[in-house]
């Protein structure tokens, strides 16, 4: 009954990044913030160097104003049109964020969600994911937490995805479970 850290998945300034070839399951692979193991994803599903043009990102329908506020349903895009932290303040917490139910996460018109995002549970693979929530911040580095804890009620569950916190966060409701995905 705890949130679970998920290795090998993060947002870095909104860009969706993963470790290739299930390398997140290999404890010898570097998952540090500055690791060269991180790869960004193109619309065709290919993995490329972070910062490559037109990689997939979590965008926001509105820009943040520097206070803790829900900016609406985030979506997948190839650019960040609205930063949830437009002031680019030094603080990494308590600024704008986006939330939606996981099953309604969509792409901007004209942007394709590749199969790899569905297999990794970053985008819905089917329509009925219950009321599980997705929270995201598209500034700084955000590491993935899944599942939710008792306090999230019906918003918690298998598809719950929390791309909200930085890697140094600690809380009694956060644990870890490793997983293997065969592509």
């Amino acid at each position: 009954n705890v949130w679970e850290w998920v290795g090998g998945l993060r947002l870095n300034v909104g860009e969706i990044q993963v470790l290739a070839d299930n390398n997140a399951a290999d404890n010898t692979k570097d998952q540090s913030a500055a690791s060269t193991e991180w790869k960004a994803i193109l619309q065709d599903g290919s993995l490329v160097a972070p910062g490559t043009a037109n990689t997939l990102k979590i965008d926001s329908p509105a820009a943040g104003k520097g206070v803790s506020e829900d900016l609406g349903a985030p979506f997948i895009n190839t650019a960040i049109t609205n930063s949830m932290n437009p002031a680019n303040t030094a603080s990494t917490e308590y600024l704008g964020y986006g939330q939606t139910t996981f099953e309604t996460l969509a792409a901007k018109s004209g942007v394709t969600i590749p199969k790899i995002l569905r297999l990794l549970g970053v985008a819905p693979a089917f329509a009925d994911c219950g009321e599980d929530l997705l929270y995201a911040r598209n500034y700084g580095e955000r590491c993935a937490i899944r599942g939710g804890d008792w306090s999230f009620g019906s918003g918690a569950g298998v598809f719950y995805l929390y791309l909200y916190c930085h890697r140094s966060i600690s809380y009694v409701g956060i644990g870890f479970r490793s997983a293997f995905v065969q592509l």
Side-chain angles (χ1 to χ4, degrees), residues 1-2 4 19-21 23 35 38 44 73 83 85-86 93 104-105 112 119 123 126 128 133 148:
N1 195 12
V2 297
E4 298 172 344
L19 266 61
D21 303 321
N23 284 345
S35 172
W38 292 109
D44 67 3
S83 173
N85 179 13
E93 291 302 313
T104 60
L105 176 66
T112 301
L119 290 171
F126 47 87
D128 187 13
L133 295 174

Side-chain angles (χ1 to χ4, degrees), residues 69-157:
E69 63 180 324
D70 180 359
L71 300 169
F75 56 95
I76 296 175
N77 199 357
T78 56
I80 299 295
T81 58
N82 288 302
S83 173
M84 297 170 182
N85 179 13
N88 227 6
T89 60
S91 173
T92 58
E93 291 302 313
Y94 311 116
L95 300 174
Y97 64 92
Q99 72 172 348
T100 189
T101 58
F102 181 78
E103 68 188 28
T104 60
L105 176 66
K108 181 179 178 178
S109 178
V111 174
T112 301
I113 297 175
K115 183 177 179 181
I116 189 172
L117 285 189
R118 298 179 195 290
L119 290 171
L120 293 170
V122 177
F126 47 87
D128 187 13
C129 300
E131 296 177 29
D132 296 9
L133 295 174
L134 175 132
Y135 285 88
R137 287 184 162 148
N138 67 1
Y139 57 93
E141 181 194 41
R142 305 294 163 178
C143 296
I145 302 172
R146 302 256 22 181
D149 67 14
W150 64 272
S151 67
F152 281 82
S154 64

